[in-house]
Amino acid sequence: MIKAVRGTRDLLPPETALWNSAEATVRDVFRAYNFHEIRTPIFESTELFSRSVGEETDIVAKEMYTWEDRGRAQSEKGQSLTLRPENTAGVVRAYIEHKLWEWGLNKLYYIGPQFRRERPQKGRYRQFFQIGAEIIGPASAGSESPARDAEILELLATLLDRLGIKGWSLQLNSVGCAKDRAAYNEALRKALEPVVPRMCVDCQRRAVTNPLRVFDCKVPEDQPIIETLPRISQFLDEPCREHFQAVQEILKSVGVDFQLDDRLVRGLDYYTRTAFEFTHGALGAQNAILGGGRYDGLSESLGGPQAPGIGFAIGEDRLILALQESAETVQPKPDVFIAPLGAGMDREAARLARELRAQNIVAELGDETFRLKKSFEAASRLKARHVLIVGENEVKAGAFALKNQETGEQISVPRANLAERIRGKQ
RNA sequence: GUGGGAGUAGCUCAAUCGGUAGAGCACCGGACUGUGGCUCCGGACGUUGCGGGUUCAAUUCCCGUCUCCCACCCCA
């Protein structure tokens, strides 16, 4: 048997109904904040990701689906392509390619699949879905303003509330600008040097490869040491400090709760200043339901104009998981099951179905070879609200037997009144 | 990529010491020729994840492999 490949999966009804309703809510909220949808290709030039996400990040170094395209001629080599591991790089590429700064401030959102070759576990797949948004534009349009950071965060709080997610919490930090981070990294390395031999093996490795990750350590014995390490907050320059302060003040003013977490660091190279994460308890170790931050230098590093921006990505698979904790997934029910009865009745039933569906009635069709009992059983299984019997008697009379499946009441209804009666009995 | 657990019917699970696979639910048919849910009767249902090994005999023991779950790494 051919099965879905590792880390991919089929989304089946009724779960797809939950995905659709969640996405509908998301689109509603984006609409209220005047965000517009962008759809970028699911594969891009490999270079786009190595330059934006960062050559040394795990994503680029070992998690991308990359292949070499064919050239024009058989012998010619093609370019290196990659299935997108995240969507911000693609959006910024499109921003540059289509000169979107001509529009001033861009507020863009996307919903779509992303790909990373990781070991699958709860809420983590190799093809996974993200809902994300970006605010990007020239600084003169206000893209650098702390008001944008706060707007994004307030939108997210609204979004999670509207979706019915209970018990989320917002972790907030500032990772400063590039030079702050460089100075901090240096200081952190220095501070680690004398103490790291006393720490766990993971920390010893992190100290070399990615010192910031030392803060993720969960070994109790290491915590006192970690407490003594310098924090990024001590290295922010004055403009970054003020920016971060302003973001917090607006959040307080609009009433969005948050926790400062100066251990929160972002994995991707392009992040600057505000960094954040929303977590949810019901997700196991993968407790981050969304993450994001500011990326003021990204456009320039991709050869574009100066275009500060801020964005986020929601792990949709994890969002749905959290939603399933609270919400029951319900299969939508048909309004009517049309039961043709006897030879030739398929034709009549098809005509009726066409008429009813044209009036937005959700209609399911039976088969003239079914005995009536079987039609009713089928209707019950589908949880149809009504059964409409289409037999010779009905066709002759021009009125059809319509049974309400919940009350058991059955009446004869003239053809012209069917849609009204079916709708009215809901 | 690393470590641990699991894989038996569509689903949830059982099978004693190694003796040749079973239940509930679901499905199909009938009782009941134009009226569902309840009941009764009957039916179909399996490459025991896959491949190899040991054995007279493997769902069971051994090796490999795949997939899922949990955790690590990392991240949404």
Side-chain angles (χ1 to χ4, degrees):
Chain A
M1 192 183 13
I2 299 174
K3 294 188 286 189
V5 304
R6 177 173 218 189
T8 70
R9 58 184 179 147
D10 301 306
L11 296 174
L12 305 172
E15 195 189 337
T16 42
L18 183 58
W19 284 68
N20 279 322
S21 76
E23 287 174 14
T25 302
V26 165
R27 288 176 193 278
D28 265 9
V29 172
F30 279 135
R31 182 73 205 98
Y33 289 76
N34 199 35
F35 277 77
H36 300 284
E37 184 174 10
I38 182 170
R39 301 192 189 193
T40 67
I42 63 164
F43 59 91
E44 300 262 7
S45 158
T46 302
E47 190 192 359
L48 174 64
F49 304 115
S50 51
R51 277 176 57 184
S52 60
V53 174
E55 203 82 56
E56 302 305 317
T57 59
D58 275 28
I59 293 178
V60 171
K62 51 186 205 196
E63 293 173 3
M64 294 205 303
Y65 283 98
T66 296
W67 72 98
E68 188 179 287
D69 198 16
R70 270 188 290 201
R72 282 166 175 245
Q74 200 79 19
S75 54
E76 199 182 330
K77 279 183 78 174
Q79 63 174 332
S80 178
L81 304 178
T82 293
L83 289 179
R84 62 186 188 196
E86 57 99 43
N87 219 150
T88 298
V91 171
V92 174
R93 194 222 77 237
Y95 173 84
I96 297 167
E97 183 169 339
H98 303 290
K99 301 188 178 4
L100 296 185
W101 54 84
E102 300 290 342
W103 295 72
L105 194 65
N106 287 271
K107 299 166 84 173
L108 303 167
Y109 79 89
Y110 58 83
I111 299 177
Q114 320 289 339
F115 306 84
R116 285 181 207 170
R117 201 179 179 293
E118 299 177 282
R119 189 79 167 254
Q121 70 188 75
K122 193 181 187 72
R124 155 184 286 182
Y125 302 94
R126 290 181 169 185
Q127 173 176 330
F128 60 103
F129 292 80
Q130 284 190 330
I131 299 168
E134 317 288 349
I135 301 183
I136 182 170
S140 61
S143 63
E144 208 171 3
S145 163
R148 300 289 76 74
D149 304 52
E151 184 178 13
I152 284 270
L153 291 165
E154 189 271 322
L155 176 155
L156 282 166
T158 300
L159 186 54
L160 294 180
D161 288 344
R162 283 274 300 274
L163 285 166
I165 303 276
K166 306 268 184 247
W168 54 263
S169 78
L170 163 58
Q171 262 67 245
L172 196 60
N173 194 20
S174 174
V175 296
C177 33
K179 70 170 169 46
D180 299 339
R181 288 172 71 176
Y184 174 59
N185 252 307
E186 187 56 34
L188 189 56
R189 267 180 213 280
K190 266 200 189 123
L192 277 168
E193 214 169 294
V195 295
V196 81
R198 287 185 281 133
M199 302 179 78
C200 67
V201 286
D202 282 336
C203 282
Q204 299 188 12
R205 180 177 42 74
R206 291 179 184 124
V208 178
T209 58
N210 194 350
L212 287 175
R213 286 285 156 208
V214 168
F215 289 110
D216 291 338
C217 179
K218 285 151 194 153
V219 178
E221 293 75 32
D222 286 2
Q223 298 310 309
I225 300 175
I226 292 169
E227 288 302 321
T228 68
L229 296 172
R231 299 302 165 88
I232 183 72
S233 52
Q234 300 156 354
F235 289 78
L236 300 185
D237 64 17
E238 201 47 38
C240 285
R241 202 184 300 272
E242 278 168 20
H243 190 276
F244 191 39
Q245 196 59 42
V247 173
Q248 294 174 53
E249 276 158 19
I250 301 173
L251 284 180
K252 281 178 194 155
S253 154
V254 295
V256 172
D257 290 336
F258 60 90
Q259 291 153 15
L260 291 181
D261 179 4
D262 58 9
R263 291 178 168 205
L264 175 68
V265 292
R266 303 269 72 206
L268 314 187
D269 281 4
Y270 55 63
Y271 282 114
T272 56
R273 292 191 167 174
T274 310
F276 57 87
E277 206 168 271
F278 283 70
T279 55
H280 189 271
L283 298 176
Q286 310 302 317
N287 67 344
I289 198 169
L290 71 90
R294 183 164 271 290
Y295 45 84
D296 291 340
L298 180 54
S299 171
E300 286 160 286
S301 76
L302 289 174
Q306 202 217 354
I310 180 165
F312 64 84
I314 303 173
E316 190 172 6
D317 306 81
R318 292 182 191 175
L319 176 75
I320 297 292
L321 220 47
L323 232 40
Q324 282 168 334
E325 295 290 315
S326 47
E328 183 109 338
T329 64
V330 190
Q331 180 97 275
K333 300 172 186 170
D335 297 315
V336 62
F337 184 95
I338 301 175
L341 188 63
M345 289 300 121
D346 274 345
R347 297 196 292 268
E348 297 295 333
R351 284 177 55 202
L352 276 165
R354 182 169 162 86
E355 287 169 24
L356 293 172
R357 286 165 174 164
Q359 296 172 81
N360 265 326
I361 302 281
V362 181
E364 186 61 79
L365 261 174
D367 187 302
E368 67 182 23
T369 65
F370 288 2
R371 291 187 3 256
L372 233 214
K373 174 191 168 67
K374 185 167 166 176
S375 286
F376 269 86
E377 282 171 349
S380 293
R381 192 169 50 238
L382 291 166
K383 299 189 165 56
R385 294 178 221 274
H386 301 85
V387 173
L388 180 65
I389 300 171
V390 183
E392 274 184 46
N393 301 342
E394 282 78 7
V395 172
K396 262 182 218 151
F400 297 82
L402 181 68
K403 182 167 182 179
N404 182 317
Q405 289 287 87
E406 277 134 47
T407 63
E409 180 194 4
Q410 182 167 321
I411 51 177
S412 178
V413 182
R415 187 181 199 106
N417 298 344
L418 278 172
E420 189 191 336
R421 291 310 292 242
I422 291 168
R423 227 192 311 273
K425 292 287 182 189
Q426 285 178 26

